[in-house]
Amino acid sequence: MRNRHWIMTWVWLAIFSLRISAAEAEIGTLEARTKAWVESYNSNKLATMMEFYEDNDKLDILVSVGMSIKGKADYKKLLSHDLAHNNFFDSKLEKLSVREIDEFGVVAFVHKFKVKVKQSGEIVQVHIRTTMTWRKIDGKWKIIQEHSSPIIDIPRHKLIDAGDSKEE
Protein backbone atom coordinates (compact mmCIF):
# COMPACT_ATOMS: atom_id res chain seq x y z
CA MET A 1 0.00 0.00 0.00
CA ARG A 2 2.80 2.38 0.93
CA ASN A 3 4.59 1.73 -2.39
CA ARG A 4 1.42 2.53 -4.32
CA HIS A 5 1.30 5.92 -2.58
CA TRP A 6 4.88 6.72 -3.65
CA ILE A 7 4.27 5.51 -7.17
CA MET A 8 1.19 7.74 -7.52
CA THR A 9 3.16 10.67 -6.10
CA TRP A 10 5.91 10.19 -8.72
CA VAL A 11 3.33 9.82 -11.52
CA TRP A 12 1.66 13.11 -10.52
CA LEU A 13 5.03 14.85 -10.26
CA ALA A 14 5.99 13.62 -13.73
CA ILE A 15 2.69 14.82 -15.23
CA PHE A 16 2.99 18.18 -13.47
CA SER A 17 6.58 18.69 -14.68
CA LEU A 18 5.54 17.95 -18.29
CA ARG A 19 2.84 20.63 -18.01
CA ILE A 20 5.37 23.12 -16.66
CA SER A 21 7.73 22.36 -19.57
CA ALA A 22 4.97 22.97 -22.13
CA ALA A 23 3.98 26.21 -20.38
CA GLU A 24 7.60 27.36 -20.23
CA ALA A 25 7.96 26.80 -23.96
CA GLU A 26 4.84 28.86 -24.58
CA ILE A 27 5.52 31.95 -22.45
CA GLY A 28 8.29 31.04 -20.04
CA THR A 29 12.02 31.04 -20.02
CA LEU A 30 14.20 32.21 -22.85
CA GLU A 31 15.96 28.84 -22.83
CA ALA A 32 12.65 26.99 -23.25
CA ARG A 33 11.54 29.31 -26.07
CA THR A 34 14.87 28.80 -27.88
CA LYS A 35 14.57 25.03 -27.60
CA ALA A 36 10.99 25.22 -28.87
CA TRP A 37 12.19 27.33 -31.86
CA VAL A 38 14.76 24.64 -32.72
CA GLU A 39 12.09 21.95 -32.40
CA SER A 40 9.71 23.94 -34.64
CA TYR A 41 11.91 23.06 -37.62
CA ASN A 42 10.80 19.44 -37.23
CA SER A 43 7.15 20.46 -37.69
CA ASN A 44 7.56 21.81 -41.25
CA LYS A 45 4.57 24.05 -40.48
CA LEU A 46 4.93 27.68 -41.48
CA ALA A 47 2.69 29.05 -38.71
CA THR A 48 4.55 27.07 -36.03
CA MET A 49 7.94 28.26 -37.27
CA MET A 50 6.87 31.91 -37.68
CA GLU A 51 5.21 32.19 -34.25
CA PHE A 52 8.56 32.97 -32.61
CA TYR A 53 9.24 36.19 -34.54
CA GLU A 54 8.44 39.81 -33.84
CA ASP A 55 5.46 40.81 -35.98
CA ASN A 56 6.66 43.88 -37.87
CA ASP A 57 8.95 45.15 -40.62
CA LYS A 58 11.85 45.77 -38.20
CA LEU A 59 12.67 42.06 -37.86
CA ASP A 60 16.23 41.56 -39.10
CA ILE A 61 17.54 38.17 -40.27
CA LEU A 62 20.83 37.16 -41.86
CA VAL A 63 20.90 33.50 -42.89
CA SER A 64 24.03 31.39 -43.24
CA VAL A 65 24.06 31.60 -47.04
CA GLY A 66 24.60 35.36 -46.69
CA MET A 67 21.03 36.45 -47.50
CA SER A 68 19.65 39.35 -45.49
CA ILE A 69 15.90 39.61 -44.85
CA LYS A 70 14.12 42.61 -43.37
CA GLY A 71 10.65 42.22 -41.89
CA LYS A 72 8.44 39.31 -40.92
CA ALA A 73 6.46 39.33 -44.17
CA ASP A 74 9.58 38.87 -46.32
CA TYR A 75 10.94 36.17 -44.03
CA LYS A 76 7.59 34.38 -44.19
CA LYS A 77 7.81 34.39 -48.01
CA LEU A 78 11.34 32.94 -47.92
CA LEU A 79 10.44 30.26 -45.40
CA SER A 80 7.25 29.39 -47.30
CA HIS A 81 9.36 28.89 -50.45
CA ASP A 82 11.83 26.71 -48.51
CA LEU A 83 9.02 24.57 -47.10
CA ALA A 84 7.49 24.11 -50.56
CA HIS A 85 10.74 22.55 -51.79
CA ASN A 86 12.24 20.94 -48.66
CA ASN A 87 11.44 19.02 -45.51
CA PHE A 88 13.39 19.85 -42.37
CA PHE A 89 14.05 17.19 -39.74
CA ASP A 90 16.36 16.11 -36.93
CA SER A 91 16.72 19.74 -35.76
CA LYS A 92 18.91 19.98 -32.64
CA LEU A 93 20.88 22.54 -30.72
CA GLU A 94 24.21 22.22 -28.98
CA LYS A 95 26.28 24.51 -26.78
CA LEU A 96 23.39 26.82 -25.84
CA SER A 97 24.38 30.11 -24.22
CA VAL A 98 21.61 32.32 -22.80
CA ARG A 99 21.86 35.85 -21.40
CA GLU A 100 18.92 37.98 -20.25
CA ILE A 101 19.12 41.73 -19.71
CA ASP A 102 15.78 43.15 -18.59
CA GLU A 103 13.29 42.62 -21.44
CA PHE A 104 16.05 41.59 -23.88
CA GLY A 105 17.84 38.29 -24.27
CA VAL A 106 20.68 37.00 -26.41
CA VAL A 107 21.12 33.33 -27.23
CA ALA A 108 23.86 31.61 -29.19
CA PHE A 109 24.09 27.96 -30.12
CA VAL A 110 25.21 25.43 -32.68
CA HIS A 111 22.24 24.42 -34.84
CA LYS A 112 22.26 21.10 -36.68
CA PHE A 113 19.41 19.94 -38.84
CA LYS A 114 18.76 17.87 -41.92
CA VAL A 115 17.00 18.94 -45.09
CA LYS A 116 15.39 16.58 -47.59
CA VAL A 117 15.00 18.13 -51.03
CA LYS A 118 11.52 17.08 -52.20
CA GLN A 119 12.29 16.94 -55.91
CA SER A 120 15.54 14.93 -55.81
CA GLY A 121 15.31 13.14 -52.48
CA GLU A 122 18.77 14.43 -51.51
CA ILE A 123 19.39 14.74 -47.79
CA VAL A 124 21.76 17.41 -46.54
CA GLN A 125 23.12 17.89 -43.00
CA VAL A 126 23.30 21.59 -42.10
CA HIS A 127 25.70 22.63 -39.32
CA ILE A 128 25.72 26.35 -38.41
CA ARG A 129 26.16 28.80 -35.55
CA THR A 130 23.08 30.87 -34.70
CA THR A 131 22.82 33.99 -32.57
CA MET A 132 19.46 35.56 -31.75
CA THR A 133 18.31 38.67 -29.99
CA TRP A 134 14.96 38.22 -28.27
CA ARG A 135 12.64 40.78 -26.70
CA LYS A 136 9.84 40.18 -24.26
CA ILE A 137 6.73 41.54 -25.97
CA ASP A 138 3.41 41.32 -24.11
CA GLY A 139 5.04 38.84 -21.72
CA LYS A 140 6.28 36.51 -24.45
CA TRP A 141 9.83 36.17 -25.84
CA LYS A 142 9.98 37.07 -29.56
CA ILE A 143 12.95 37.04 -31.93
CA ILE A 144 13.83 40.54 -33.13
CA GLN A 145 17.15 39.71 -34.79
CA GLU A 146 18.71 36.46 -36.00
CA HIS A 147 22.10 35.73 -37.50
CA SER A 148 23.37 32.36 -38.68
CA SER A 149 26.81 31.69 -40.09
CA PRO A 150 29.10 28.81 -41.00
CA ILE A 151 31.55 27.50 -38.40
CA ILE A 152 35.27 27.57 -39.23
CA ASP A 153 36.59 24.16 -40.34
CA ILE A 154 33.10 22.60 -40.39
CA PRO A 155 31.17 22.34 -43.68
CA ARG A 156 27.98 24.43 -43.55
CA HIS A 157 26.16 21.69 -45.40
CA LYS A 158 27.11 18.16 -46.26
CA LEU A 159 25.34 15.73 -48.60
CA ILE A 160 24.52 12.59 -46.61
CA ASP A 161 22.18 10.89 -49.11
CA ALA A 162 22.13 11.56 -52.84
CA GLY A 163 18.48 10.42 -53.14
CA ASP A 164 17.19 9.98 -56.69
CA SER A 165 20.12 11.92 -58.13
CA LYS A 166 22.54 9.02 -57.62
CA GLU A 167 24.61 8.26 -60.65
CA GLU A 168 24.37 4.64 -61.81
Side-chain angles (χ1 to χ4, degrees):
M1 186 70 146
R2 186 177 188 134
N3 286 339
R4 187 182 319 165
H5 174 72
W6 282 109
I7 290 170
M8 289 305 295
T9 301
W10 284 109
V11 168
W12 280 111
L13 283 172
I15 291 169
F16 184 68
S17 68
L18 288 175
R19 287 185 169 197
I20 290 172
S21 296
E24 274 186 350
E26 179 60 25
I27 59 171
T29 68
L30 185 52
E31 180 177 347
R33 289 286 287 164
T34 303
K35 289 177 179 178
W37 176 89
V38 169
E39 183 63 31
S40 77
Y41 266 69
N42 295 322
S43 76
N44 288 285
K45 294 179 181 171
L46 184 62
T48 301
M49 297 168 85
M50 292 301 300
E51 184 277 326
F52 295 89
Y53 294 92
E54 174 184 38
D55 194 15
N56 63 42
D57 61 354
K58 293 180 183 177
L59 176 67
D60 190 20
I61 296 177
L62 179 64
V63 294
S64 62
V65 294
M67 183 183 299
S68 181
I69 298 106
K70 193 76 167 165
K72 189 172 181 179
D74 284 347
Y75 185 57
K76 186 175 183 178
K77 286 178 197 171
L78 174 70
L79 193 53
S80 180
H81 178 269
D82 284 351
L83 289 169
H85 299 282
N86 305 291
N87 280 322
F88 299 100
F89 65 101
D90 203 20
S91 179
K92 302 174 192 169
L93 67 73
E94 297 174 354
K95 301 179 182 176
L96 176 62
S97 170
V98 178
R99 182 155 183 222
E100 291 182 35
I101 307 154
D102 298 323
E103 79 270 14
F104 292 96
V106 178
V107 298
F109 55 93
V110 173
H111 188 197
K112 289 182 178 179
F113 59 94
K114 293 178 181 146
V115 179
K116 183 172 185 176
V117 180
K118 290 179 181 178
Q119 186 174 10
S120 68
E122 289 180 337
I123 297 176
V124 176
Q125 171 74 56
V126 179
H127 191 161
I128 55 177
R129 176 87 176 154
T130 299
T131 304
M132 299 170 160
T133 305
W134 296 70
R135 183 174 181 199
K136 211 168 223 185
I137 301 170
D138 297 327
K140 194 176 203 177
W141 288 107
K142 295 286 189 173
I143 299 166
I144 62 173
Q145 189 172 42
E146 177 183 328
H147 175 240
S148 296
S149 58
I151 302 169
I152 293 175
D153 296 329
I154 297 175
R156 185 182 72 78
H157 66 315
K158 177 179 162 187
L159 182 65
I160 57 175
D161 187 339
D164 298 336
S165 64
K166 293 179 186 172
E167 293 184 18
E168 306 285 328

